[in-house]
Amino acid sequence: MNKLLLTLGSVALVASLQSCKMKTTDSAVAGDAAQKVYVAPGKYDEFYNFVSGGFSGQVSVYGLPSGRLLKVIPVFSVFPENGYGYSEETKAMLNTTNGPVPWDDQHHLELSQTNGNYDGRWLFANANNTPRVARIDLKSFKTTEILQIPNSAGNHSSPFITENTEYLVAGTRFSVPLGNADVPISSFKKNFKSTASFISVDKNNGHMKIAFQIVLPGMNLDLSHAGKGPSHDWFFFSCYNTEQAYTLLEVNASQKDKDFIVAVNWKKAEEYAKAGKGHKMATEYAHNTFDEDRQTATSVMEKEVLVLDPKDCPGMVYMIPCPKSPHGTDVDPTGEYIVGSGKLAALIPVLSFTKIIKAIHDKQFEGNYYGIPVIKYEAALHGEVKKPGLGPLHTEFDDKGNAYTSMFLSSEIVKWRLSDLKVLDRTPTFYSTGHLMVPGGDTRKPYGKYMVAYNKITKDRYLPTGPELCQSAQLFDITGDKMQLLLDFPTIGEPHYGQAIPASVIKDQQVKFYDINKNHNQYVTMGEKKANVVRTGNRVDVYMTAIRSHLVPDNIEGVFVGDEVYFHVTNLEQDWDVPHGFAVKNSPTADLLIMPGETLSIKFNANKQGIYPFYCTDFCSALHQEMSGYLRVSPKGANVPLKFGTGVVTPETASK
C-alpha cells in the first residue's frame, strides 16, 4: 500500500509540474522557429518521418521539418480509404490463426540497415496485440508481408534489427505457457515463459522467416536494440516483472531494486541452431505476403519453429542487473555503451560492452536467474547519470557523442554526454513524453539535426475536441549546445516510436505507376474491349476498366437478389498520381482506390432489389462527377437477361 501511495504522490507531483509549465509555454519557442520549419510551396521536406499509429494499427508519414502529414500506410488495420483489408487482393494480409484480425496496436518501427546505416529499402512494424511483424516496401509505401509470431503474447519488444538486417527481433511482453497449454494462472513461475524470436530477413527480397526462438524465464520483455561495431553479435533486451507477479503488477512487479537487461549473443545462438542444439516445436502461425506482380496477397500456415533453451546453449544468454523496471535499452553509435532506462529509478545506468565481455571472461557473476548467469552490476557498469529527471524511458544519440533521454514523469528531455555522463541541457516537453527520435539516432552515423518527442498528453496545446485530445509530436533543433523547440504537430493514433530518413535516400526510387503490361492479376482487364460480365451460378464477376472519365461497363443488368457480385476494376491510366476510386451504393465494407496500372476487386452482396449507382471516389478530372454507372438488382427468378455496356442507348421501356 505504501508503494501505491508513493505512485499516487508521483502523479500529483507531475500534475503540479505540468500546471506550472502551462503558464510559460509560449516562451519555450524561439523567435526564429517558424523560419526553421518553413517549407515553401513546391519545395520538399528534408526527412521522411515514419511514425507508429498505436491503437490505429497503421503507420503515418510526416515531412520534417514541416510536420505535414504525407500519407497513412495501412498495415495491421482495415483501411476504408483505399480498401486495404476489404479488397479481395488484400484480405489475406490480415489473416491469422484466429481468422482475420482487422485491427492491432502498432508500437514500433525500424528502417532496414546496411553497415549500421539506413539503406532505404524496407520499413518494419510490429503488432503488439496479435503478435505480428510487417514489412513495408519503401518504393511503393505498401505493406508487402506480415508474419505472425507463435509462443508470444504482446509483441512489444519488436521489430528491432541487427545492423545489416540479418535478423529482426520480437520479444514477448506477456509471458504465457508455450503451446497454449491449459494451466492455472497461479502456476506462473513453473509454466509461463517469455520468448525472443529471431526472424531472418532475405537480403535480396526482404522475405521474413522465423529462424529460431529463445525460451526465457517468465517475465516481461520490454524493448531491445542490437549491438553495433564491436557489439555487432549481441542483442540487448530490457525486462521487468522478474518478481514473476501475475496480479496487481503496479505493486507486485516493483518489489526489487533491480530487474535485468538480457544480453543475447545471437551469433552463438545461430551456431547452436545450425548444430542442432534446438528442438522443433509443432505450432501454427500465419505468413502473409503480397505479390506486387500478381497484385494479390496469399496466406500460408507455417507448422513449426526451432526453439533454443539457454540451459542447453551455454554462453548464449546473460542477465545484467538494471535499476528498477527498465523500459528502453539503447546502444550508442560506437556500440560500446548500452543505456538502460529504469522507469522507477532516479538515475540512468550506462553499461560498457568491453566490461561485459571482460566480466563474462572473468566469471564475475553474482549467481543465476533460472540457470542464466547474472553478471555483477558494477562489473558491467560504465557509470550512472545522476538525477537526470523523473521517469527515464528512451534514449537516442546525436553525431557529437551526446545522448538524449525522455523523462515521462517530469515531462522533459535531458541531454547528457556519454564520455563523462554529465548533464548538459534539459528542455520541457508538453507533456509526458514517451519515445523520442533523432534521425539516424539508432544507427552508427546519426544525422543529428533534429529531435522529435512523441508526447502522450497535450492539454492546452491545441483546440479542444471533446473528452479526448489529439496526440502530438514536438520538433527540436539540436544543432547547438541548447535544444530549441521549433514546432508542435498533431499525430494519428497514439504515437509510440518513429524513425526518420533523409528524403534523398528514397525520394527518387518511388513507384509512380504500375506497368499495366506487367499486371499479372488473374482478374486484370487489358483494355476496354476486354471488359466483361460473367455469371457462374450465383456468382457474377464484373471485369471493369477505369480511365478518365468513365467506367466500362457502366450499365449492368441481369443480377438477382442473392447473387455475389465481384467487381474487378483495372485502372488503365499510365501516369503518376492518377488513381481511380470505386464504390457501390450500400457496400458494407469500403471503396477501392486503384493505382495506375493496378487491379483491385471488391465483393458486393446483392441482398435487396433496386438500382445501385457506382462511381469513382477519387477526384480524377473535371468530369469526375460523371464517372459513374448503374447496377440493376432484380428479384430472384426474374426474367431479366444478363447484359452490360457503356455508351449504349436503347429505346425507353416501361417498367412492368
Side-chain angles (χ1 to χ4, degrees), residues 292-312:
E292 292 205 82
D293 289 330
R294 294 176 56 244
Q295 298 179 356
T296 302
T298 55
S299 181
V300 174
M301 287 295 167
E302 307 287 358
K303 299 298 184 182
E304 65 179 19
V305 291
L306 181 66
V307 175
L308 299 175
D309 192 321
K311 74 176 187 297
D312 302 322

Side-chain angles (χ1 to χ4, degrees), residues 111-279:
L111 288 158
S112 58
Q113 296 184 20
T114 299
N115 296 324
N117 296 302
Y118 300 149
D119 58 26
R121 303 178 72 188
W122 307 300
L123 177 72
F124 299 95
N126 76 328
N128 187 35
N129 186 272
T130 301
R132 291 172 283 178
V133 291
R135 178 171 55 87
I136 298 164
D137 189 331
L138 292 182
K139 291 181 180 178
S140 61
F141 278 49
K142 283 189 175 182
T143 302
T144 53
E145 188 174 11
I146 294 180
L147 179 64
Q148 189 179 1
I149 303 170
N151 297 322
S152 178
N155 176 38
H156 187 252
S157 179
S158 168
F160 302 99
I161 64 170
T162 54
E163 61 179 349
N164 280 300
T165 321
E166 299 98 335
Y167 294 100
L168 66 84
V169 70
T172 309
R173 177 180 176 185
F174 307 112
S175 295
V176 290
L178 299 185
N180 300 316
D182 181 25
V183 298
I185 297 174
S186 59
S187 69
F188 188 104
K189 291 184 179 182
K190 178 181 178 181
N191 292 315
F192 286 53
K193 304 293 181 183
S194 57
T195 58
S197 300
F198 282 76
I199 300 167
S200 62
V201 180
D202 188 285
K203 64 180 180 180
N204 295 314
N205 57 29
H207 189 78
M208 298 186 294
K209 179 181 179 181
I210 298 179
F212 51 85
Q213 292 184 316
I214 298 175
V215 177
L216 297 167
M219 55 189 176
N220 297 55
L221 294 177
D222 206 346
L223 291 181
S224 58
H225 269 98
K228 305 177 180 74
S231 56
H232 168 80
D233 297 353
W234 291 75
F235 231 104
F236 303 94
F237 301 79
S238 62
C239 72
Y240 62 101
N241 191 26
T242 54
E243 296 87 349
Q244 298 187 310
Y246 52 84
T247 184
L248 196 62
L249 264 63
E250 67 172 324
V251 173
N252 294 324
S254 304
Q255 300 293 317
K256 296 181 179 179
D257 289 333
K258 290 183 174 67
D259 286 290
F260 297 116
I261 287 177
V262 185
V264 176
N265 186 329
W266 62 263
K267 273 287 189 180
K268 193 171 286 290
E270 189 179 62
E271 292 169 4
Y272 279 127
K274 291 178 180 177
K277 292 294 185 180
H279 70 274

Side-chain angles (χ1 to χ4, degrees), residues 313-360:
C313 305
M316 182 176 69
V317 181
Y318 296 90
M319 312 291 264
I320 308 168
C322 184
K324 206 126 186 175
S325 299
H327 189 49
T329 301
D330 303 284
V331 181
D332 88 303
T334 70
E336 169 62 17
Y337 300 117
I338 299 97
V339 180
S341 297
K343 299 192 298 286
L344 303 181
L347 54 83
I348 300 172
V350 183
L351 307 178
S352 162
F353 179 71
T354 301
K355 290 186 175 182
I356 291 171
I357 296 303
K358 186 176 187 302
I360 293 171

Side-chain angles (χ1 to χ4, degrees), residues 362-427:
D362 295 343
K363 301 188 183 305
Q364 293 180 286
F365 304 131
E366 61 178 41
N368 69 81
Y369 184 75
Y370 285 85
I372 299 172
V374 178
I375 297 172
K376 290 182 178 178
Y377 178 64
E378 293 76 12
L381 189 67
H382 167 62
E384 297 173 338
V385 182
K386 302 292 187 181
K387 299 181 180 179
L390 298 177
L393 288 185
H394 304 287
T395 299
E396 294 261 310
F397 308 93
D398 66 15
D399 54 344
K400 302 180 182 66
N402 301 314
Y404 302 79
T405 300
S406 57
M407 300 290 166
F408 179 79
L409 293 178
S410 52
S411 291
E412 60 184 332
I413 295 172
V414 174
K415 175 182 177 180
W416 50 277
R417 193 160 45 219
L418 279 158
S419 58
D420 60 7
L421 309 182
K422 180 181 178 182
V423 172
L424 304 176
D425 187 27
R426 60 181 69 241
T427 187

Side-chain angles (χ1 to χ4, degrees), residues 120 194 204 297 340 363 463 486 526 530 602-603 627:
S194 57
N204 295 314
K363 301 188 183 305
L463 288 171
L486 300 179
M526 297 295 286
K530 299 289 186 179
I602 196 166
K603 178 182 177 181
M627 195 170 176

Side-chain angles (χ1 to χ4, degrees), residues 437-628:
M437 184 278 302
V438 173
D442 69 333
T443 70
R444 296 183 72 171
K445 295 181 180 178
Y447 301 101
K449 184 174 184 179
Y450 298 115
M451 175 178 59
V452 179
Y454 303 105
N455 301 327
K456 306 299 185 186
I457 298 173
T458 59
K459 289 180 180 178
D460 88 341
R461 302 302 287 178
Y462 303 100
L463 288 171
T465 52
E468 183 193 21
L469 302 177
C470 63
Q471 285 79 33
S472 84
Q474 291 188 300
L475 177 70
F476 293 83
D477 180 342
I478 59 171
T479 56
D481 292 335
K482 299 293 184 180
M483 296 173 279
Q484 179 190 359
L485 177 60
L486 300 179
L487 180 70
D488 287 19
F489 58 96
T491 59
I492 290 172
E494 183 192 358
H496 288 266
Y497 187 43
Q499 291 202 327
I501 187 171
S504 58
V505 177
I506 62 176
K507 176 176 67 68
D508 295 334
Q509 70 177 10
Q510 296 305 297
V511 172
K512 295 184 177 179
F513 57 86
Y514 294 99
D515 185 345
I516 197 167
N517 295 309
K518 296 179 181 179
N519 182 335
H520 300 301
N521 187 299
Q522 63 177 320
Y523 299 114
V524 64
T525 303
M526 297 295 286
E528 293 181 356
K529 292 182 180 180
K530 299 289 186 179
N532 198 9
V533 179
V534 178
R535 172 179 287 280
T536 307
N538 71 332
R539 172 175 172 142
V540 178
D541 288 275
V542 179
Y543 297 84
M544 179 178 286
T545 64
I547 196 168
R548 288 167 287 184
S549 294
H550 58 273
L551 300 164
V552 177
D554 66 4
N555 278 216
I556 303 168
E557 299 185 68
V559 173
F560 305 119
V561 172
D563 284 345
E564 294 180 338
V565 184
Y566 290 83
F567 289 94
H568 312 292
V569 187
T570 299
N571 183 346
L572 298 179
E573 307 283 357
Q574 292 288 268
D575 195 7
W576 192 14
D577 197 29
V578 191
H580 287 298
F582 179 81
V584 59
K585 179 188 174 184
N586 290 355
S587 174
T589 52
D591 72 343
L592 300 176
L593 191 61
I594 311 114
M595 297 299 112
E598 186 179 45
T599 300
L600 285 177
S601 307
I602 196 166
K603 178 182 177 181
F604 174 76
N605 291 315
N607 293 325
K608 293 183 179 181
Q609 75 176 57
I611 301 295
Y612 293 84
F614 52 80
Y615 61 101
C616 174
T617 58
D618 189 89
F619 207 103
C620 55
S621 70
L623 296 176
H624 162 73
Q625 291 290 95
E626 285 73 16
M627 195 170 176
S628 62

